[in-house]
């Protein structure tokens, strides 16, 4: 946090104009970029950002202006600076941080107008991270492993990959920047994570890739695969319907096929598979059940620090976003005859408001502290 500072992420795919909006609206003093491509964007707009004091590039090659221009720094130059004379000020700022102060800005992708800066407090983040550890009862201190590959500008990656894993002393492996172009599969096999978070499109790609491998197999392997997948799917559907079984057929399918599939994907020790940000199709869910991978559905938004509800592998239906996190509240307003209406939520995970957007904050959070999500659902 640069010690009592506020962080704001910028997607590497952002245009120059989008970068300017984030930096200008947040009044950013310091910008950190990885490579020359991102540095070029900042160099183009730096003179229009009066609050910007320093631009830091972490990785070579460095452009000429990074070496000579005032306010541009290389990471190794910062490492060589003597900080002894500011230690007292650092400690003073560290001691003055309060739980209800803003520490993070998440810029929503907003369908109308420019992205809004969602202000999250220290308490928002620590509470939401803690709530995940309570809801998932199979976490072990110091033993969990995760691959971080989703953009850290997104609230889900921040709350899960950074804060939740930090709270349980987990190990995080950061995938390379080409992860979404194909290298993620190799990384997963090397790391063998104990938990896996993905948006629906990632699960769909894994589905497509697995299906391609199956199609290229010989007839005997395809026949064995079809039998094993059918056994696994029936096992999980029965379990979800309240009729748990552990048949000899299912156990045999695990041994001869299902375990090998999960090993090939890097998921042989993965305990929790979670999806969020958009609905996952029932077809995709059933496919993963057929290879012995139940997927947990999560619901939340930037304004709820990422999470509000999470399903369970024992849910009796696919049509659910599960139970709310411990200590939060949910209600439905303006309900139709079938009980569906707007989902409203309340709790310590609800954001502080939109940066410099008082009217929009008042529209989102009512006088009783309920956040109006704009999403439709019902409570069973």
């Amino acid at each position: 946090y640069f010690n009592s500072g506020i962080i704001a992420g910028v997607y590497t795919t952002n245009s120059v104009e989008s970068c300017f909006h984030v930096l200008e609206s947040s009044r950013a003093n310091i910008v950190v970029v990885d490579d020359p491509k991102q540095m070029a964007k900042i160099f183009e707009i730096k003179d229009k950002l009066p609050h910007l004091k320093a631009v830091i590039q972490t990785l070579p090659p460095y452009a000429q202006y990074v070496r000579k221009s005032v306010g541009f720094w290389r990471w190794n130059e910062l490492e060589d600076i003597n900080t002894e004379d500011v230690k007292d000020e650092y400690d003073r700022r560290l001691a003055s941080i309060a739980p209800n102060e803003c520490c993070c800005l998440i810029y929503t992708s907003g369908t109308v107008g420019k992205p809004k800066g969602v202000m999250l407090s220290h308490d928002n983040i620590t509470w939401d991270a803690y709530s995940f550890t309570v809801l998932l009862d199979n976490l072990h201190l110091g033993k969990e492993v995760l691959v971080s590959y989703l953009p850290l500008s997104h609230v889900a990656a921040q709350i899960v990959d950074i804060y939740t894993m930090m709270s349980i002393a987990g190990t995080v492996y950061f995938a390379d920047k080409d992860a979404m172009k194909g290298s993620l599969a190799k990384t997963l096999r090397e790391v063998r994570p104990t938990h896996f978070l993905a948006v629906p499109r990632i699960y769909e790609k894994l589905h497509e890739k697995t299906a391609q491998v199956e199609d290229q197999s010989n007839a005997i392997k395809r026949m064995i695969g079809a039998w094993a997948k059918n056994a696994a799917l029936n096992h999980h559907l029965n379990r979800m319907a309240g009729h748990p079984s552990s048949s000899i057929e299912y156990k045999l399918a695990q041994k001869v096929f299902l375990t090998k599939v999960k090993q090939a994907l890097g998921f042989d020790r993965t305990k929790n598979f979670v999806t969020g940000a958009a609905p996952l199709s029932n077809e995709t869910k059933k496919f993963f059940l057929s290879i012995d991978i139940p997927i947990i559905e999560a619901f939340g938004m930037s304004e709820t620090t990422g999470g509000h509800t999470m399903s369970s592998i024992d849910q009796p239906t696919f049509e659910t976003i599960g139970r709310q996190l411990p200590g939060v509240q949910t209600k439905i307003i303006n309900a139709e005859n079938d009980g569906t209406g707007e989902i409203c939520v309340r709790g310590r995970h609800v954001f502080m408001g939109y940066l410099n957007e008082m009217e929009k904050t008042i529209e989102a959070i009512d006088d009783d502290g309920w956040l109006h999500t704009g999403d439709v659902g019902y409570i069973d």
Side-chain angles (χ1 to χ4, degrees):
Y1 297 149
F2 291 105
N3 201 339
S4 77
I6 299 172
I7 58 171
V10 178
Y11 290 97
T12 56
T13 54
N14 274 12
S15 65
V16 174
E17 293 75 17
S18 296
C19 291
F20 176 78
H21 170 67
V22 172
L23 301 182
E24 192 272 335
S25 66
S26 65
R27 298 185 177 183
N29 304 120
I30 301 170
V31 176
V32 181
V33 302
D34 280 344
D35 54 38
K37 181 180 179 180
Q38 303 304 324
M39 177 60 84
K41 298 177 185 178
I42 307 304
F43 185 74
E44 186 175 335
I45 57 179
K46 184 178 183 296
D47 292 341
K48 297 189 290 183
L49 296 165
H51 298 282
L52 188 57
K53 299 176 181 178
V55 185
I56 303 162
Q57 184 176 328
T58 60
L59 302 174
Y62 301 104
Q64 191 67 23
Y65 52 76
V66 179
R67 298 176 182 275
K68 295 184 177 182
S69 301
V70 175
F72 287 87
W73 296 80
R74 289 170 287 173
W75 186 259
N76 58 359
E77 292 175 324
L78 297 184
E79 292 179 317
D80 294 335
I81 295 177
N82 187 342
T83 58
E84 285 299 316
D85 58 338
V86 295
K87 185 178 184 304
D88 290 343
E89 176 63 15
Y90 179 89
D91 291 339
R92 186 192 68 78
R93 293 188 184 187
L94 188 63
S96 69
I97 295 174
N100 63 346
E101 290 180 336
C102 181
C103 73
C104 179
L105 294 174
I106 301 291
Y107 277 83
T108 63
S109 54
T111 54
V112 179
K114 294 181 179 179
K116 302 183 291 293
V118 173
M119 297 188 292
L120 300 179
S121 69
H122 295 276
D123 188 61
N124 287 148
I125 289 173
T126 54
W127 174 257
D128 214 51
Y130 167 75
S131 297
F132 279 123
T133 66
V134 172
L135 202 58
L136 295 173
D137 58 4
N138 57 359
L139 303 179
H140 300 285
L141 188 66
K143 295 183 178 180
E144 307 304 333
V145 178
L146 191 81
V147 174
S148 178
Y149 66 96
L150 295 172
L152 290 173
S153 304
H154 193 283
V155 69
Q158 280 197 35
I159 200 69
V160 175
D161 300 4
I162 305 300
Y163 306 116
T164 300
M165 290 297 286
M166 189 185 301
S167 72
I168 59 173
T171 301
V172 179
Y173 289 81
F174 290 92
D176 65 41
K177 62 182 180 181
D178 295 323
M180 305 303 288
K181 297 179 181 178
S183 66
L184 178 60
K186 181 174 181 291
T187 302
L188 290 173
R189 288 192 295 271
E190 291 176 350
V191 174
R192 299 168 58 232
T194 58
H195 305 277
F196 183 67
L197 169 67
V199 295
R201 185 57 190 142
I202 300 299
Y203 284 110
E204 291 165 1
K205 285 186 175 181
L206 288 171
H207 181 182
E208 293 165 3
K209 181 65 176 177
T210 306
Q212 289 175 2
V213 173
E214 289 177 352
D215 289 341
Q216 294 170 2
S217 301
N218 60 46
I220 294 177
K221 287 184 178 180
R222 288 199 301 271
M223 182 177 66
I224 294 172
W227 161 77
K229 288 166 62 180
N230 185 65
L233 179 59
N234 287 334
H235 165 81
H236 288 292
L237 292 178
N238 287 333
R239 176 183 52 76
M240 293 168 64
H243 308 294
S245 67
S246 187
S247 66
I248 294 176
E249 183 182 29
Y250 170 63
K251 290 181 178 179
L252 184 59
Q254 284 184 306
K255 186 173 183 178
V256 303
F257 181 79
L258 301 173
T259 299
K260 295 177 182 178
V261 171
K262 288 196 280 189
Q263 286 175 340
L265 293 171
F267 293 145
D268 54 300
R269 61 175 185 169
T270 309
K271 297 180 287 187
N272 295 312
F273 296 85
V274 183
T275 185
L280 184 66
S281 72
N282 288 345
E283 177 188 0
T284 302
K285 290 178 185 177
K286 287 182 178 179
F287 168 77
F288 279 95
L289 287 179
S290 76
I291 58 172
D292 211 25
I293 294 178
I295 297 176
I296 297 171
E297 192 110 26
F299 166 75
M301 52 202 300
S302 299
E303 290 84 346
T304 62
T305 323
H308 180 71
T309 70
M310 185 178 292
S311 67
S312 162
I313 62 171
D314 296 319
Q315 293 288 347
T317 174
F318 290 123
E319 309 302 329
T320 180
I321 52 175
R323 299 174 293 163
Q324 63 190 21
L325 298 177
V328 306
Q329 296 174 285
T330 310
K331 71 176 182 179
I332 302 297
I333 64 170
N334 303 323
E336 301 290 341
N337 292 334
D338 62 357
T340 60
E342 183 181 8
I343 302 172
C344 294
V345 305
R346 185 165 66 177
R348 284 171 62 178
H349 62 331
V350 171
F351 75 133
M352 302 172 66
Y354 297 113
L355 179 67
N356 300 324
E357 299 269 11
M358 181 59 71
E359 289 186 7
K360 291 180 179 178
T361 300
I362 293 172
E363 289 177 10
I365 306 176
D366 65 27
D367 293 341
D368 294 320
W370 288 96
L371 169 65
H372 295 239
T373 67
D375 291 310
V376 174
Y378 69 94
I379 298 175
D380 190 358

